[in-house]
Amino acid sequence: MNFSSLDLNSIWFVLIGVLFTGYAMLDGFDLGIGALHLFTKRDEERRILLNAIGPVWDGNEVWLVTGGGALFAAFPNVYATVFSGFYFAFVLLLVALIFRAVAIEFRSKQPMHWWRRMWDVGFSTGSVLSSVLIGVAMGNIAWGIPLDGRGEFTGTFWALLGPYPLLLGVTTVALFMMHGAIYALIKTEGELRDRLKGWINNTIVFFIICYAVTTMATLLYVPHMAARVRANPWLFSIAVLNMLAIANIPREIHRGRDHRAFISSCVAMIALMGLFGLEMYPNLVLSKPVPENSLNIHNAASSQKTLGIMLTIALIGVPVVLAYTVSIYWIFRGKVKLDRMSY
Amino acid sequence: MDVLTLSRIQFTLTISFHYIYPPLSIGLGIMLVLMEGLWLKTGNSIYHQMARYWTKVFALTFAMGVATGIVMEFEFGTNWATYSRYVGDVFGSALAAEGIFAFFLESGFLAVLLFGWEKVGRKMHFFATCMVCLGAHFSAIWIVVANSWMQTPAGFHIVGEGLNARAEITDFWAMVLSPSSMDRLFHTLCGAWQAGAFLVVSVSAWYLLKDKHKDFARNSLRLGLFVGLIASLLQLVSGHKSAQGVAKNQPVKLAAFEGLYETTGHAPLTMFGWVDQKNERVVGPQIPGMLSFLAHSDVNAPVKGLREAAPTEKDRPPINVTFQLFHLMVGIGFGMIAISSVGFLYFWRGSLFEKRWMLWLLVLSVLGPQIANQAGWFAAEVGRQPWIVQGLLRTSAGVSAVIRANTVLSAIILFTSVYVLLFAVFVYLLNHKIQHGPEEADLIPAGKLALPLKGAS
């Protein structure tokens, strides 16, 4: 296909954003349920929560894998700089994701108490650590990291754990916990569901506090991440949409409309990622203290030819992917019932 | 040790551990499609029982494959950043295509395969099984395409100079269909089919030896042996084609496979032996003219030796290691043909289930494809050294510039401990599954599955 009239670099900036937003919306609730896992006490409740995500978590994780692959193909310099620069953080993320994955699969295979306990801890720790590290990575990208003239990272692992990135890490956990609790509400019934309703309020409060602190910290210490909204006040509507979406969650839950609450939570995530993308554009990784070394959609991108090929692949692949993702969620709709195939 | 050596160790460790599982998923995928297909066709519920049992084994290998696979996706960036910048334009596209076309398909329909038995009808379930199997094969296609580009780069040009040089695609299909990609894909798939088939064979033979689940075991063994034999025979054809491709496109690697130093017409094939790297010669029994014949279909054709193809030591891979790995793979390949043919012969005569020594051999046969798959990939990758992208970029130039040796060492220690734990748990659970055996209840399909098909019953 011929895309020569299009700004492929910007399109891929958006598409990478779409992939990571998709990941946050989908695997976000898996990780959130993981973070909530240890708060449930009875084995049956834990199994219900695991089976709520059982058929879908694996496909949700593919959004991250594909996002990584797309980043590699569209912006190889970002992929190379971020992954090698955040080396140890990514190794920890990988170990965390490994434990999350195998814990889901292995836990139910044996009845022993110690066995289940071990994988419960693995599942929960893996989920929380993954969420924190994803937030920390985003925090660093927004805060700015030291890059040299070739775009190579010149900092250390410990320098990545600054207060602002850590704050974003905690906020991500809070966001995913809220999101996961809502998803769990859709999939459960009876006493567990009633208890989850109580938790949702706590997770919403937790998230709103984190969100408020993050917003203030951003305005005070990371002004470049609010510059575009300041210059174009109408963009403030996205922030308003975000707040309305969050405010809508307790309202929908109160009326028993769990699905709408979930959609609200997704809208909040889209708005957050939208703001993040708007403020970053056209940069992909900000350099600090030498802003000229930042990686942007031009100096980090693959050739026009490759971006065009990738767009063709995306145009063929994405509709198909969406079609069967929707069918899978449809097949497994409704409340979780434990049977002999369950985890 | 330096960052380069440590990064190579880390990559070897993570990729070899990962590669235990995907071939099993691909091979078991085919087996599941056949089992469920036979069930749909014949209505015989023994096939339903088989499909249900092997699905559980499949789930275990799949989970391990996914968990260890995500490491691979990120490791190019973490440890091989310079390589990633150099090849991202080309290699990244194949990885992204793998995600879009293969992983989504596989993981989406996996849900129906594992949890959908009583939620969807028979045909829909069979469709899901086929899609999972297809997804597994697609993922093999894209990853082998990506790797083959590193062996025989095509469809690209180099832009920029020095540190800023990088490869960019000029022709997508020439890149995908690089000179070695289709031969290597076929070779990899045959190895994967063997891995799946011989796992089924091995477990079934074990049941027969223990006098358990006999009906189940006989049917599984028959099907496994059938697929195993076909895959082993196809592997011979594909191995031969692959080697001819190596002779043509990567003469240094072929010379290393055979320990051939001097360019010779009527070149001999060394059956097994040792490469004396110091004196540049190979010791072992040889078949005269055979290498020339296999590589170029002509007993007198000259085969390039290392002295001509790679005159200096720094352009050569470690010869003896490559030689041994290659010969190990080939040896096992022939072994698998022998085992499956003899097994099939006895089965044909009706005496297989009484021959205990043969059943024992079949129990052990599961190790064959695993060792050969590993040895084959090691030979392919070690044999390409010192290049990370053949002729374009040296492995030593591809490593990340900013990582430190002790950080990589910590990562290796971390991955090793996690993988040892995972492997122990995997073996424990697999053994548990095998000891438990198939469910008798699966002989009477329930729920939506119980509906008789038109024409069957």
Side-chain angles (χ1 to χ4, degrees):
Chain A
M1 273 180 259
N2 186 11
F3 300 115
S4 53
S5 57
L6 296 174
D7 178 2
L8 288 167
N9 300 61
S10 298
I11 290 175
W12 272 102
F13 180 88
V14 174
L15 285 178
I16 299 279
V18 168
L19 282 169
F20 285 117
T21 312
Y23 176 71
M25 274 163 32
L26 294 171
D27 208 26
F29 67 72
D30 302 329
L31 295 172
I33 284 180
L36 294 169
H37 188 73
L38 289 181
F39 290 103
T40 47
K41 294 291 171 239
R42 285 175 34 228
D43 184 58
E44 200 198 330
E45 293 176 352
R46 290 185 175 176
R47 287 189 59 206
I48 289 175
L49 288 185
L50 272 182
N51 283 289
I53 62 169
V56 294
W57 72 268
D58 182 12
N60 296 342
E61 196 180 82
V62 174
W63 287 82
L64 179 67
V65 175
T66 306
L71 192 65
F72 192 175
F75 303 108
N77 284 333
V78 174
Y79 174 83
T81 295
V82 172
F83 284 54
S84 64
F86 298 1
Y87 180 84
F88 204 70
F90 273 103
V91 169
L92 287 179
L93 174 65
L94 291 173
V95 171
L97 286 173
I98 290 175
F99 268 100
R100 194 274 296 251
V102 295
I104 296 174
E105 184 60 33
F106 290 167
R107 182 185 186 277
S108 67
K109 296 281 187 284
Q110 294 293 333
M112 293 84 82
H113 181 72
W114 64 266
W115 174 271
R116 298 205 159 177
R117 188 85 203 153
M118 173 169 84
W119 296 113
D120 282 338
V121 173
F123 177 52
S124 220
T125 323
S127 301
V128 174
L129 188 60
S130 307
S131 317
V132 172
L133 289 168
I134 290 166
V136 167
M138 288 189 66
N140 277 299
I141 287 167
W143 178 264
I145 53 174
L147 297 179
D148 66 14
R150 294 200 58 231
E152 296 273 19
F153 177 68
T154 54
T156 64
F157 171 66
W158 297 109
L160 295 172
L161 301 177
Y164 184 74
L166 283 176
L167 176 64
L168 248 70
V170 176
T171 308
T172 308
V173 176
L175 176 65
F176 287 173
M177 274 173 119
M178 176 180 83
H179 198 54
I182 301 169
Y183 188 77
L185 205 61
I186 296 177
K187 305 300 284 182
T188 54
E189 53 198 345
E191 191 202 334
L192 179 59
R193 195 186 125 89
D194 294 337
R195 206 127 41 84
L196 278 167
K197 270 187 163 178
W199 294 359
I200 285 190
N201 289 330
N202 297 341
T203 56
I204 293 175
V205 172
F206 179 34
F207 173 68
I208 289 177
I209 293 172
C210 291
Y211 180 58
V213 176
T214 306
T215 307
M216 278 194 289
T218 307
L219 291 172
L220 285 174
Y221 302 107
V222 203
H224 59 262
M225 286 303 283
R228 190 158 275 141
V229 172
R230 237 178 246 163
N232 305 283
W234 62 273
L235 288 176
F236 195 69
S237 56
I238 302 175
V240 174
L241 176 70
N242 177 38
M243 287 171 220
L244 286 178
I246 294 166
N248 192 39
I249 294 170
R251 179 171 155 263
E252 298 292 0
I253 287 172
H254 183 68
R255 301 191 177 181
R257 297 191 296 218
D258 303 346
H259 286 88
R260 290 197 187 181
F262 184 75
I263 291 169
S264 297
S265 179
C266 289
V267 170
M269 283 179 167
I270 294 170
L272 280 173
M273 286 296 280
L275 282 175
F276 187 85
L278 268 175
E279 294 298 346
M280 288 297 292
Y281 183 87
N283 293 308
L284 286 148
V285 182
L286 290 172
S287 167
K288 194 174 186 170
V290 192
E292 295 76 50
N293 292 343
S294 296
L295 296 175
N296 60 42
I297 58 168
H298 300 291
N299 69 10
S302 283
S303 62
Q304 292 297 307
K305 171 129 189 142
T306 294
L307 293 179
I309 292 167
M310 293 280 299
L311 187 58
T312 312
I313 291 176
L315 288 175
I316 299 169
V318 171
V320 184
V321 168
L322 289 179
Y324 52 67
T325 305
V326 171
S327 339
I328 303 298
Y329 276 83
W330 177 251
I331 291 172
F332 293 96
R333 70 191 180 277
K335 307 291 180 190
V336 175
K337 299 265 188 299
L338 295 180
D339 59 30
R340 67 192 178 96
M341 267 105 59
S342 301
Y343 285 128
Chain B
M1 273 186 279
D2 57 359
V3 170
L4 174 65
T5 316
L6 288 166
S7 286
R8 290 183 68 183
I9 292 174
Q10 186 188 327
F11 201 86
T12 310
L13 174 84
T14 48
I15 191 69
S16 344
F17 187 67
H18 173 62
Y19 202 66
I20 298 172
Y21 307 101
L24 287 174
S25 301
I26 295 171
L28 281 179
I30 289 278
M31 297 303 292
L32 288 177
V33 167
L34 289 174
M35 287 169 189
E36 249 190 285
L38 283 167
W39 178 47
L40 277 179
K41 196 163 158 44
T42 64
N44 185 348
S45 58
I46 188 82
Y47 292 119
H48 174 254
Q49 190 193 29
M50 280 159 63
R52 292 293 279 259
Y53 175 82
W54 291 107
T55 299
K56 287 180 192 153
V57 177
F58 178 87
L60 209 54
T61 61
F62 192 90
M64 292 290 285
V66 169
T68 54
I70 193 164
V71 177
M72 307 319 306
E73 181 89 15
F74 289 175
E75 219 166 40
F76 301 109
T78 52
N79 292 62
W80 305 95
T82 313
Y83 161 82
S84 300
R85 286 180 217 280
Y86 190 86
V87 303
D89 196 285
V90 182
F91 189 88
S93 325
L95 281 197
E98 187 185 21
I100 290 265
F101 293 131
F103 292 151
F104 276 119
L105 189 67
E106 224 177 343
S107 59
F109 284 100
L110 181 76
V112 182
L113 172 59
L114 299 187
F115 305 101
W117 284 104
E118 280 145 34
K119 283 201 165 63
V120 297
R122 291 180 178 196
K123 283 184 179 166
M124 177 62 203
H125 194 273
F126 179 58
F127 176 73
T129 309
C130 292
M131 288 302 114
V132 171
C133 177
L134 195 66
H137 282 75
F138 279 171
S139 116
I141 293 178
W142 288 106
I143 204 69
V144 174
V145 159
N147 182 272
S148 295
W149 186 84
M150 295 161 69
Q151 309 280 351
T152 51
F156 71 102
H157 64 160
I158 301 292
V159 175
E161 273 174 31
L163 287 171
N164 293 317
R166 65 171 187 174
E168 289 185 0
I169 299 183
T170 51
D171 180 344
F172 180 71
W173 290 109
M175 183 274 279
V176 171
L177 301 168
S178 74
S180 65
S181 67
M182 289 303 120
D183 288 343
R184 300 179 75 241
L185 172 64
F186 188 39
H187 198 50
T188 308
L189 286 179
C190 288
W193 296 333
Q194 286 179 299
F198 283 103
L199 177 64
V200 173
V201 165
S202 166
V203 175
S204 311
W206 171 258
Y207 285 153
L208 289 172
L209 281 168
K210 295 286 145 186
D211 221 21
K212 287 195 290 193
H213 320 295
K214 280 202 279 197
D215 204 23
F216 169 88
R218 280 181 185 162
N219 279 291
S220 297
L221 181 56
R222 193 180 44 152
L223 195 61
L225 213 46
F226 178 68
V227 174
L229 178 64
I230 293 179
S232 303
L233 290 173
L234 286 177
Q235 188 65 294
L236 186 66
V237 181
S238 112
H240 174 59
K241 276 213 73 187
S242 253
Q244 286 199 319
V246 174
K248 193 166 150 235
N249 302 312
Q250 294 174 286
V252 180
K253 196 199 272 189
L254 187 85
F257 280 170
E258 284 301 322
L260 187 73
Y261 280 92
E262 199 54 56
T263 303
T264 3
H266 204 67
L269 185 80
T270 309
M271 314 260 293
F272 55 88
W274 193 261
V275 183
D276 179 356
Q277 279 177 233
K278 210 167 166 194
N279 299 311
E280 304 207 335
R281 65 195 183 101
V282 63
V283 193
Q286 297 180 321
I287 309 175
M290 197 62 179
L291 181 59
S292 289
F293 177 70
L294 287 176
H296 302 292
S297 311
D298 171 6
V299 283
N300 293 314
V303 178
K304 257 189 207 167
L306 285 159
R307 282 181 211 128
E308 186 192 336
T312 51
E313 192 66 40
K314 72 172 179 49
D315 291 335
R316 289 178 189 174
I319 310 295
N320 190 38
V321 176
T322 314
F323 176 95
Q324 298 303 345
L325 288 164
F326 177 73
H327 282 77
L328 179 63
M329 175 192 75
V330 174
I332 293 173
F334 279 102
M336 297 322 289
I337 294 175
I339 290 178
S340 48
S341 322
V342 174
F344 211 75
L345 190 71
Y346 283 137
F347 174 76
W348 199 258
R349 288 198 194 151
S351 58
L352 175 63
F353 304 136
E354 282 75 55
K355 292 226 161 17
R356 292 187 70 81
W357 65 269
M358 188 65 209
L359 290 174
W360 273 113
L361 199 60
L362 291 178
V363 169
L364 293 176
S365 71
V366 67
L367 296 174
Q370 287 294 342
I371 298 172
N373 282 337
Q374 295 279 348
W377 270 107
F378 268 82
E381 297 293 287
V382 174
R384 191 194 56 227
Q385 301 304 322
W387 303 99
I388 193 165
V389 183
Q390 182 77 50
L392 292 177
L393 188 70
R394 281 176 192 266
T395 308
S396 55
V399 77
S400 297
V402 301
I403 53 176
R404 284 168 207 170
N406 53 7
T407 330
V408 183
L409 187 62
S410 329
I412 292 176
I413 294 169
L414 196 58
F415 279 126
T416 309
S417 22
V418 172
Y419 283 2
V420 166
L421 172 75
L422 289 191
F423 190 67
V425 173
F426 171 75
V427 171
Y428 170 73
L429 287 177
L430 184 63
N431 179 52
H432 182 81
K433 193 83 248 154
I434 293 170
Q435 301 299 339
H436 182 75
E439 302 281 351
E440 291 309 313
D442 287 337
L443 283 172
I444 309 151
K448 283 192 179 179
L449 302 174
L451 296 170
L453 283 172
K454 275 179 210 146
S457 86

